[in-house]
Amino acid sequence: MKECSFIGKTLDFSKSLDIDLVKKFVVFDEIPSTNIEAKELAENGEGEGTVVLARIQKKGRGRFNRLWESPDGGVYLSIILRPDCPSDKATLLSLLAAIAVSTSIASYGVSAKVKWPNDIRVNGKKIAGILLESEAFGNSLKYVILGIGINLNIDKNLLSAKVKSISTSLSEEIGTSINYHSFIKNLLFNLDEYYKLFLSKKYDRIIKEWKNQSDTLGRIVRITTSSEQIIGKVYDIDRSGFLIVILNSGKHKTITSGDCTYIEK
Ligand code: BTN
């Protein structure tokens, strides 16, 4: 069995974890953000496969600088990746993380859907999100911090009214609490499987699986980017995981990043 190093708390699954990708855990009780911590570690040369895990985050970061509310009961982890690939492949990494999360949720009998690029939702409510932060060196990725936040056993009363109205948790969906360590183990196992596909450049397999688990294709969407708002019908995603929409004019437009809202089916 492979040895994993643990800093701080020992995790229950430390003896049984045998996942190629995972090399080390850095575990915190409370921390501002696992992404911030992982980024600092990566800047200081920490290798691929270090997982930063926290019970509570005080300044959890969401996409577009939003706050990711992170009370006790959720899964908050960030993993350092150092794939040898061009930086335009980063979006695919966040798509594969989203399908790893939705696959893990599905194993509890709950049908989770992925919304482009990487929201995980159950019955239209958000259950998990991915924050990918990458550092490039020229056209290559130097490192990637893959941050994953999941509402696992969250008491929704601990969330703000705004977040509460648009969120759900896995415990709420199945009516019972879930074993934290088993869930994380299963998640890291799924992540490892999809990451292996990525490293062997089987991008089409990742795209195919993402399409299977997504409810974005065919939707009328509003995409807000840093410079514009685009409304169109989702036609497809390409090999890099970019969204292809058909505009009112009939033209196709490829969108590399942005905030996506469904307008109608
Ligand atoms: C989103 O906006 O949907 C992305 C949310 C990502 C939250 C996770 S929780 C673990 C990691 N640490 C952070 O500060 N953010 C990510």
Side-chain angles (χ1 to χ4, degrees), residues 33-35 57 59-63 68 75-78 119 126 128-131 147-149:
S33 152
T34 56
N35 260 42
Q57 292 186 122
K59 285 185 180 165
R61 299 209 297 217
R63 296 179 72 225
W68 182 261
V75 170
Y76 314 112
L77 68 81
S78 303
D119 277 2
K126 188 152 170 169
I130 314 288
L131 178 65
I148 302 178

Side-chain angles (χ1 to χ4, degrees), residues 85-105:
C85 70
S87 26
D88 65 357
K89 289 284 172 275
T91 301
L92 268 183
L93 287 169
S94 65
L95 298 195
L96 79 78
I99 52 178
V101 172
S102 64
T103 303
S104 306
I105 291 172

Side-chain angles (χ1 to χ4, degrees), residues 199-212:
L199 292 179
S200 54
K201 298 193 170 53
K202 295 192 174 119
Y203 305 137
D204 291 342
R205 296 262 306 273
I206 296 170
I207 296 289
K208 190 174 167 203
E209 191 51 42
W210 188 90
K211 286 182 185 175
N212 277 342

Side-chain angles (χ1 to χ4, degrees), residues 153-170:
N153 295 313
I154 294 223
D155 172 0
K156 279 184 44 179
N157 294 321
L158 297 173
L159 299 174
S160 66
K162 192 178 163 211
V163 171
K164 193 167 151 179
S165 65
I166 53 167
S167 307
T168 187
S169 69
L170 192 50

Side-chain angles (χ1 to χ4, degrees), residues 23 80 108 183 197 221 225:
K23 303 286 185 286
I80 300 173
Y108 290 81
F183 184 89
L197 289 181
V221 293
T225 73

